Amino acid sequence: DGGITQSPKYLFRKEGQNVTLSCEQNLNHDAMYWYRQDPGQGLRLIYYSQIVNDFQKGDIAEGYSVSREKKESFPLTVTSAQKNPTAFYLCASREVGYTEAFFGQGTRLTVV
Amino acid sequence: QKEVEQDPGPLSVPEGAIVSLNCTYSNSAFQYFMWYRQYSRKGPELLMYTYSSGNKEDGRFTAQVDKSSKYISLFIRDSQPSDSATYLCAMSAGDYKLSFGAGTTVTVRA
C-alpha cells in the first residue's frame, strides 16, 4: 500500500533531550513537509523540502532541524532549544505540480 | 489577521441533518481549495479538492467556492455519527505552501 508512515505514534522526552521523529513515504513524491498541530491553532509549517538534499524553514522552524538525504525519508529532530515541544506532529508529502497533500498518522510528543 | 479564518465550533447536529462548514481567506492569490477530515489522534485525510468557483459534489459532500467573496464552504448531507471529526480547510496559491484553517469540530448525535 502506498502511503506515509510516521513513527513512533507516541513519544516521551525529558527536558533537555533531543528527539527524532521518523517520516517515510513510498508515494514517490518530491515534496515533504512537517507540521505542528496544537489545539485551536490548526497546522503550522515547521520545515519543507521540495527535493533531496534541500529544505527550507517554515513559519515556526526555531528549535527544530531536518534532513533530506533520500527522497522517501524526511526525519525531524526536536532539539532542546524548542521551548514548548509538546504537540502533535504531522508529516505530509505532495507531488510537484499538484496541490493536494497527503498526511501520515502523526506522532504525539510529550515532554515529561 | 490570519490568512485563513475558520470557526472552531464545536458544532453538534442530530443524525441526518445537513452540516455546513465554512472558511474565509484574505489572500487573493489562493487558487486551490481543499477540505480535510481528521479523526481524533489521526492524520488529516483529503475529502475534497477544487480550484474553481462554484460547486463540486462527491457523494454526500459538496464543496463550494466563491472567489469574489473569498469564502469557501463544505456541506455534508444526511450526516452520520461516523462524520464526527474535525474538518480543516486548506488553500494554496500553487506554490509550495498550504495554509490551513484552525479546524471545526463536528459531532453528529445518533
Side-chain angles (χ1 to χ4, degrees):
Chain A
D1 287 334
I4 303 172
T5 301
Q6 288 187 242
S7 61
K9 190 172 181 179
Y10 299 97
L11 190 55
F12 296 89
R13 190 196 90 174
K14 293 183 179 179
E15 283 193 24
Q17 286 183 337
N18 292 355
V19 65
T20 297
L21 283 59
S22 171
C23 178
E24 303 276 333
Q25 56 102 357
N26 60 5
L27 299 168
N28 200 34
H29 288 170
D30 285 304
M32 296 187 74
Y33 303 77
W34 276 106
Y35 291 90
R36 171 180 171 141
Q37 187 175 33
D38 296 283
Q41 294 197 46
L43 275 63
R44 293 185 288 168
L45 181 63
I46 304 172
Y47 268 96
Y48 70 99
S49 169
Q50 297 189 83
I51 196 169
V52 174
N53 292 323
D54 187 49
F55 48 83
Q56 283 78 42
K57 293 181 179 180
D59 301 318
I60 56 164
E62 186 175 350
Y64 300 98
S65 66
V66 294
S67 63
R68 187 85 186 277
E69 297 176 0
K70 299 186 294 183
K71 187 176 183 178
E72 59 269 24
S73 179
F74 191 41
L76 173 74
T77 296
V78 183
T79 75
S80 57
Q82 170 50 235
K83 298 306 178 189
N84 185 22
T86 294
F88 190 49
Y89 291 88
L90 288 160
C91 178
S93 72
R94 190 176 174 196
E95 182 140 356
V96 172
Y98 291 87
T99 57
E100 309 102 297
F102 296 90
F103 286 85
Q105 291 301 296
T107 293
R108 185 164 299 277
L109 172 64
T110 303
V111 173
V112 297
Chain B
Q1 183 188 8
K2 293 182 181 179
E3 263 191 327
V4 182
E5 298 278 1
Q6 182 178 9
D7 186 341
L11 188 62
S12 180
V13 301
E15 185 175 358
I18 295 175
V19 176
S20 174
L21 305 165
N22 54 73
C23 291
T24 59
Y25 61 95
S26 57
N27 187 347
S28 57
F30 287 149
Q31 301 177 51
Y32 305 95
F33 306 91
M34 288 140 276
W35 285 96
Y36 287 84
R37 177 175 62 194
Q38 185 178 23
Y39 291 115
S40 182
R41 299 186 177 88
K42 301 289 186 183
E45 57 179 320
L46 182 68
L47 271 180
M48 300 281 286
Y49 159 68
T50 184
Y51 57 86
S52 57
S53 282
N55 293 353
K56 181 177 181 180
E57 198 170 307
D58 184 1
R60 296 185 296 112
F61 298 91
T62 299
Q64 192 174 77
V65 174
D66 182 347
K67 291 185 180 179
S68 62
S69 300
K70 297 189 180 67
Y71 187 91
I72 69 169
S73 299
L74 178 71
F75 300 97
I76 308 173
R77 291 184 299 281
D78 188 25
S79 58
Q80 305 295 311
S82 58
D83 294 325
S84 298
T86 296
Y87 291 83
L88 297 153
C89 63
M91 307 178 189
S92 169
D95 56 4
Y96 74 91
K97 190 175 178 182
L98 282 175
S99 296
F100 287 85
T104 300
T105 300
V106 174
T107 301
V108 180
R109 307 186 306 273

